[in-house]
């Protein structure tokens, strides 16, 4: 069952490119609509933001984050029981090494070529989110939790 759930999770992450990122400064939550690109196994996601953004400052304080990836736009007029919602819980880290940031930028721009101007700004920074667990919801009643092994 877990392998089938992981396959569904990977397919959902690969089929989407927008998520909601939830961060906190330890006291207040903050959410942001974000573009992302992911590694093929879905356990590492890349986002880009400005260094002065609230989300970035939150991540420097509390690196634990949660992402929401969903299919709500496909099911607005249908039976919502087939809607998928995936929570990705993990740790965010800024990518400051240019030898690592280069391939991340390439992967991200392959997915989001329209964001080249934003990505190339001097005050932009890439974030690597390493997934630690997933919660996959199908409709209002089916939930599957997958905890990843630390490597």
């Amino acid at each position: 069952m877990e392998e089938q759930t992981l396959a569904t999770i990977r397919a959902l992450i690969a089929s989407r490119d927008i998520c909601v990122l939830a961060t906190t400064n330890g006291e207040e939550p903050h959410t942001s609509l974000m573009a992302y690109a992911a590694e093929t196994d879905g356990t590492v996601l890349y986002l880009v933001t400005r260094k002065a953004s609230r989300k970035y400052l939150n991540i420097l304080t509390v690196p634990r984050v949660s992402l929401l990836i969903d299919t709500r736009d496909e099911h607005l007029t249908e039976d919502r029981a087939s809607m998928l919602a995936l929570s990705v819980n993990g740790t965010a880290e800024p990518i400051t090494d240019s030898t690592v940031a280069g391939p991340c930028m390439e992967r991200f721009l392959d997915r989001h070529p329209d964001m080249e101007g934003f990505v190339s700004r001097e005050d932009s920074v890439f974030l690597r989110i390493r997934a630690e667990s997933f919660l996959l919801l199908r409709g209002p009643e089916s939930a599957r939790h997958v905890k990843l092994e630390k490597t």
Side-chain angles (χ1 to χ4, degrees), residues 46-58:
Y46 302 102
L47 296 78
V48 64
T49 190
R50 296 238 166 88
K51 292 177 183 175
S53 70
R54 184 171 171 191
K55 67 184 103 19
Y56 182 70
L57 298 174
N58 282 353

Side-chain angles (χ1 to χ4, degrees), residues 106-121:
E106 189 174 311
R107 178 179 292 275
F108 189 87
L109 288 175
D110 280 348
R111 190 78 184 195
H112 303 280
D114 58 311
M115 292 189 67
E116 186 170 5
F118 182 83
V119 166
S120 0
R121 289 180 54 125

